[in-house]
Amino acid sequence: MSSINSSEFVFQDTLPIAPLKICALASCKDLAEKVNRHIVHFREHDTEELLKNKHGIDFRGYDRDNYLLESNCPRFGSGEAKGTINESVRGTDLFILVDVVNYSLTYRICGQINHMSPDDHYQDLKRIVAASVGAARRVNVVMPFLYEGRQYKRSQRESLDCAVALQELTAMGVVNIITFDANDPRIQNAIPLHGFDNFVPPYQFVKAIFRKDRHLTIDSDHLIVISPNESAMNRAVYFANNLGVDMGMFYKRKDYSAVVAGRHPVVAYEFLGSRVEDKTVIVIDDVISSGDSMLETARELKSRKAKKVIICCTFGLFTDGFEKFDDFHAKGYFDYVVTTNLNYRPAELLSRDWYIEADMSKFLAAIINTLNHDSSTSGILEPTERIQARIARYNEESRKEFEQLTLDL
């Protein structure tokens, strides 16, 4: 498959298990509206095909111009809240979308303004689940940034927040949980009898990079993929194998005898891998939080005479702001940053000339549409074939551009 297109979602032998409804919490309204438009487009094509082959089928609300459900979570003056559904969800296949890291939303408590934290978003999610699970045929949660996903294992006397949250949702009646690039997908072992799908965005990264940069040479002499730490190794290996290039890894040498700001200080960044001199380097990870480790990786790569540094992360949180990234970009330590639109990105980030967005709305729409038909996602949404097709197309377009340039000269 070269891309996700409408014709790939004609489920001629399968109707939806129930009418589709998409309930977007206030934290991800913009993303949900894009997803809704894609599903409407998919299903316009599906309906034409189904009508040609299966006359008289009851589509049960299949052909609609809007699948979004109206809901809200109003708050009392004390800060307490409730979840309300503003239309019937009886018998529907409900997908609830939430962005737990959207800090832009506020609420008033005792006259003070509070910004919503991940805990607040998670509580609102549970309120909407509680308001709908008794009537809906099936309730699914789409949580791109997995709530407490970085607290997935116990290393001392501490809470296992992510596992507890997953168990709490399934105990309330949630059947499937859909997330992206979980810090450790093995967290699904906390709910082994329920659906847990973890999707990754390498194809969207490839699209964004190729759209931005028309002059990459994709081979081991000119390109290398780097993991900024040990935990991102699997992502880097998969990305490098698809591109057919080498990969490398940084690891942090820490001083475990000291603790600074709650962490062991980093003594040095050590590099394992082939040379990066005069190469384009793609650094890939799951989250940019403060961005310190990613920026230090970029600086280390430039000190090793990398030609170009491209940073790819699924989630760009930028918890310490953008000034440090502005400074490192101005100094030439990296060329641009690619993140997805699965989490909130403020306008000041979108206006940066070093920022590129990898749009995930069509991919997410394909996931929801496929799960609503209770069909397998493995064959349709496996990114390897699409990545290979995109690379082949890019190389062919580059070859034609080079031939045209030669003729012009």
Side-chain angles (χ1 to χ4, degrees):
M1 293 181 296
S2 61
S3 62
I4 296 176
N5 56 60
S6 301
S7 62
E8 291 169 352
F9 294 93
V10 178
F11 299 93
Q12 294 196 18
D13 298 320
T14 309
L15 283 173
I17 67 166
L20 174 64
K21 287 285 187 180
I22 299 173
C23 178
L25 273 68
S27 56
C28 58
K29 292 285 189 183
D30 293 342
L31 177 62
E33 288 172 1
K34 289 184 177 181
V35 168
N36 177 63
R37 288 196 294 270
H38 285 303
I39 294 179
V40 169
H41 182 62
F42 289 156
R43 295 195 167 190
E44 285 174 352
H45 187 92
D46 284 5
T47 303
E48 294 170 6
E49 294 294 321
L50 289 166
L51 284 172
K52 284 191 291 187
N53 294 290
K54 297 187 177 183
H55 298 286
I57 286 181
D58 176 11
F59 294 107
R60 294 182 296 173
Y62 189 76
D63 186 16
R64 299 170 59 107
D65 58 5
N66 181 36
Y67 295 94
L68 294 175
L69 173 74
E70 288 295 326
S71 68
N72 65 333
C73 291
R75 290 183 179 268
F76 304 102
S78 61
E80 299 167 291
K82 63 178 180 179
T84 62
I85 303 290
N86 299 333
E87 58 186 272
S88 175
V89 294
R90 187 165 300 280
T92 62
D93 190 19
L94 181 62
F95 287 79
I96 305 174
L97 276 65
V98 59
D99 175 13
V100 299
V101 287
N102 187 339
Y103 59 88
S104 69
L105 301 180
T106 61
Y107 63 92
R108 186 174 292 274
I109 175 171
C110 298
Q112 305 296 315
I113 299 297
N114 272 15
H115 283 264
M116 290 188 69
S117 71
D119 291 343
D120 292 318
H121 289 298
Y122 176 63
Q123 291 300 322
D124 279 357
L125 169 64
K126 290 197 298 181
R127 292 177 177 113
I128 296 299
V129 170
S132 58
V133 73
R137 168 78 177 276
R138 186 174 71 171
V139 175
N140 315 269
V141 168
V142 181
M143 188 188 298
F145 187 95
L146 187 61
Y147 175 69
E148 293 289 357
R150 287 183 284 183
Q151 185 55 24
Y152 62 89
K153 66 179 180 180
R154 177 179 286 151
S155 57
Q156 53 184 333
R157 292 186 294 275
E158 57 189 10
S159 58
L160 284 171
D161 298 65
C162 189
V164 170
L166 294 177
Q167 291 177 352
E168 190 172 21
L169 290 173
T170 54
M172 293 180 71
V174 173
V175 176
N176 295 307
I177 295 174
I178 298 98
T179 191
F180 286 82
D181 215 346
N183 196 282
D184 190 334
R186 290 175 296 182
I187 192 63
Q188 66 188 292
N189 293 335
I191 49 169
L193 302 182
H194 294 80
F196 182 96
D197 289 297
N198 177 56
F199 296 95
V200 291
Y203 174 64
Q204 285 73 21
F205 285 157
V206 168
K207 282 176 60 178
I209 291 171
F210 287 176
R211 208 165 34 235
K212 169 69 175 179
D213 203 325
R214 302 297 305 168
H215 302 288
L216 290 176
T217 302
I218 306 171
D219 60 37
S220 292
D221 293 328
H222 299 87
L223 186 65
I224 186 171
V225 177
I226 297 295
S227 169
N229 50 54
E230 308 93 301
S231 63
M233 275 286 291
N234 288 339
R235 299 178 184 89
V237 168
Y238 180 80
F239 207 71
N241 285 343
N242 272 284
L243 293 172
V245 300
D246 294 333
M247 65 86 57
M249 182 194 80
F250 279 92
Y251 71 92
K252 302 172 186 175
R253 202 146 46 84
K254 296 183 178 181
D255 179 6
Y256 287 99
S257 65
V259 176
V260 178
R263 296 183 294 182
H264 299 295
V266 176
V267 177
Y269 286 85
E270 304 290 353
F271 179 67
L272 299 174
S274 59
R275 68 175 185 85
V276 300
E277 185 176 352
D278 294 327
K279 291 183 180 180
T280 295
V281 181
I282 299 176
V283 185
I284 189 164
D285 205 354
D286 58 341
V287 180
I288 293 176
S289 186
S290 66
D292 288 344
S293 63
M294 191 63 76
L295 291 174
E296 286 303 319
T297 298
R299 176 154 52 190
E300 289 290 331
L301 289 168
K302 278 295 185 178
S303 72
R304 289 169 168 80
K305 300 182 180 179
K307 178 182 178 182
K308 181 180 292 188
V309 176
I310 302 168
I311 297 172
C312 292
C313 279
T314 307
F315 303 102
L317 305 185
F318 300 97
T319 56
D320 287 352
F322 311 113
E323 289 74 16
K324 197 179 300 183
F325 280 83
D326 292 337
D327 180 49
F328 272 60
H329 179 255
K331 292 176 179 177
Y333 291 133
F334 71 89
D335 290 79
Y336 53 91
V337 175
V338 183
T339 76
T340 72
N341 60 339
L342 291 171
N343 65 282
Y344 169 72
R345 289 111 41 247
E348 53 264 40
L349 172 62
L350 300 178
S351 66
R352 259 45 181 200
D353 59 357
W354 48 259
Y355 177 72
I356 305 295
E357 178 186 284
D359 186 8
M360 299 292 290
S361 60
K362 195 172 187 180
F363 187 51
L364 181 53
I367 293 168
I368 292 174
N369 192 38
T370 303
L371 291 176
N372 180 234
H373 284 82
D374 211 19
S375 297
S376 171
T377 60
S378 58
I380 299 173
L381 301 175
E382 169 60 44
T384 301
E385 286 187 37
R386 286 180 286 123
I387 291 173
Q388 294 302 317
R390 178 66 67 168
I391 292 170
R393 193 192 326 170
Y394 179 84
N395 287 335
E396 179 64 17
E397 290 172 354
S398 298
R399 183 186 63 80
K400 289 180 179 178
E401 288 179 8
F402 178 76
E403 290 178 352
Q404 184 62 48
L405 180 61
T406 303
L407 290 172
D408 291 342
L409 292 175

